[in-house]
Amino acid sequence: MNPPLRLALCAVLLSCTSLWSACAPGSPGTPPDESPDTPHTGSCQVDQDCPDPGLFFCDTVTSRCLAACRTQEDCTAQKRGAYRIAECDANPLGCRCDSSRCVQALCSADAECGGSGTVCRNGRCQPAPAASTVAACRVTPDYVVGREGTSARFSVLAMDAAGGPVVVPSGATWTALEGSVQGGGAGVESSFVLSAATVEARESVQARVGSATCTARVRVLGAALESGQLRAVVTDEQTGRPIPGAVVVTADAQGAVTGSSATDASGVAMLAAPASAGSVSVFHADFGYLTVAHGGSTGPTDLALPLRRNPTDRYGGYKGTFRNMPTSLDMHSGLAGLSSPDAVTDLSASLLAGPTRRVSFTMGGQAREATLPAGAYVVLPGSTLQVTNVSAQGLAGVCDEALQGVEEPEVAMATGTCGTRTAWALGGDIPLNALPLLSGGTMDVGQVLAQTIPLLRTFNSSVVRDVGFRLKETPGADMGAPDFSDQAHFTGVDHDFKADRSMGLAFSFAVRVPALPRYRGAWMDSAAVMGAARVPGRGVVPLGLGMGTNTNPADPNTDIQANLPGPGLVSVRMAPAHHGLEGSPYDLIITASSSAAANDATAGAASSVLIDRTLEKLPFDPKGSSPVTVSGPFLLVPEGARYNYNLGTAGGLEGRQLRFLVAPELPVATVLRAVFTNRAEHRWEVLMDVASATTGVRLPVPPVPFEDRTYFGDLTGSRSPFGVQALVLRRTGTSAGAALNLNGLVDADGVDLEHLGALTVAWSALDYGRPLVTWMDPEEDGKTLSRGSKVKVRVLAFRVGSGISDDGSVRLTFSGGAGCAGKTVNGYVVDSQGRGEVELQLPGECSGTGVQLTATLVDPDGVPLLPPVTSTRTITITP
């Protein structure tokens, strides 16, 4: 699961669980009646009032006898006899026994429907839609820049006259429109060889679905480069369009610039190829910077370097509500969002969750508050809590003339003012007595999520595949305080949870999670599973989830879950691809996480992710008899990275050097990806191979007028926080594919950085943050203390101590007063509770008014960090 998505789900559940204590503890919870009707009528109070307690149970809320089961056989006509269920008999797939109820079985792939013109649509086997119903289509990608001799793969999305999605099983008929490309055939996808160089992009590839046609433009670059030349092709990662005016810089091993060239209208820059090891960097004010470590004579000379737009410079998305939610007395809740481009690169947390909402309400006569993300829907009967409006934000990307307010799509795409994604939502009922009551103290978030998964049987998935939206400039983004409150330009989209407009999370199965990795000497303590569809041109769409904890015992395996046979198994609830997502491949994204950062102020957020793409259809196996086995292992977290923000040597690093102090224990072909983020959420991404981790790369100083994004951008000139990812890539996007190293990733051979999300099979990440020191006692200026008193500071993202793995210590210096000048106090010991608190004792001979105490973080050699990390208090010290 994408970590920000997990945080958003946590926010909804935690906000909801904080309400339990005021709810009637006897509320039984009323899951929706999913059981097919039975011929038995009449009321009941206990199971024995039903015709056969072995085949029925009494729903005490509705006083009705409903079909019950222990095994799937209990739902068959042969077993039920006179009490056979007509809906089960009529369904080609029969019924399943789900949580002791007979429910109609759903399909998740066309192959389950037996062929002969029958396909799986919206979970049901039905006649295939005719190609004649297609009124429009779109090829994705619709713009490709590639090298002669390489190939490009295209997909097609089809729509009916009303703009709704149509998935025709035969796909499209593909044709090469002119001689610069070669290929064709039929299907939902097709590959074309870029066979002849062109001077500009041409309408080269056509897809025909029924009577509708759509095309893609292709610019083919010549394969031959003159000896000693380097070509960099810079494109917009989300649209494929070239980026003119980007500055490409080559630098040597010392970070000194050796060459520079701006990209032309085709996004191409030509430079002298580096003769020795160094780096190639791309700078553009509207996009994230990119630096790639380059091996000089051994490195590639034809580079594909896609950039992603600054995520919060502009914002846009959709807004709406949930319609036709259940009407029981339970809490109605859910979460909405927009599909993400991939499951690898880090999305902006503020962009994904949007603004949080502080909601005031009354319940049981008491005033209460809850904090919810913008995508959260919560309605609590018996209270005034009615949060029914949801919104979600998306990245700039592609669009067409169908988007209202966009007259020239190419201009909108070039300026980052439009995008198209899939709107998704998971919503349903949570019985008020189903989660533990909160009566103070702390709560294990992972445990709450794990206990919630069985309740998702009552949840449904809603998707709207093609949602176009406009983006506008974000007020306050440059100051690190983006204001997303004005949503007048958001596209209106409601999620309809009627039975024919949504899909239940009807597939219950278990995933065997590989042994969890360690962080800071302890096993990671949770594992989340997100089930998703990977939709061409739209991205990753969540369809379900699972959650496991690793606390009892703390070992390499997730804890045993109810109804599963052993440890290491995680229960998952998932909907099939539906309402236009059919045919898209399924992904299982397994995220192991550590809670160390929540319990230790010096730790960073750590996670490790596996991406499984082997599921062709979804299993139904609630007891975990044949669990889905995911290939491992998890990658270890990339600990030990350091960056010197200064031009000169400091902390054992050369000027502006990024490297690991010790070689990380990672596979040979692993690509390391570091990302610096300043307060405007402008990024600088750095790529290098794990083989050069201890040598690293020295970043060039950005050319004028570009900002140095390794600095935060505040008045004090403080450093930007950074994080590091380790990525294992395969050419086929599966564990069976050939390994792909950094050279292969950036070489313009058609299997390149633009497809990072599809190529990655495993990654791990560590958020290093940025070191900070703040005062706790005295908490404000002007306080009076006696000589020899103890003061206290708090440090973040900095390990205090004198050991080999520690970052250094806290030094306290003094100015003003009597007997204070020149005095220093060092703190090497942090509190044992992980709060990052360091106590220091004032000198006995220092006193006076207006004494300034300055706490400074210093490295193990006693040298202050640069840029300085300090905090000052002015106090009075009495004799």
Side-chain angles (χ1 to χ4, degrees), residues 662-682:
V662 178
E665 298 180 18
L666 294 165
V668 173
T670 302
V671 174
L672 296 171
R673 175 178 179 265
V675 180
F676 297 86
T677 306
N678 69 14
R679 68 172 178 171
E681 295 199 43
H682 295 172

Side-chain angles (χ1 to χ4, degrees), residues 596-603 772 774 776 792-798 830-839:
N599 303 314
D600 183 348
T602 69
L772 295 172
T774 57
M776 297 190 66
K792 186 185 296 182
V793 296
R794 186 175 188 231
V795 296
L796 296 174
F798 186 84
V830 72
D831 69 288
S832 59
Q833 287 76 38
R835 295 190 296 264
E837 298 174 3
V838 179
E839 281 192 340

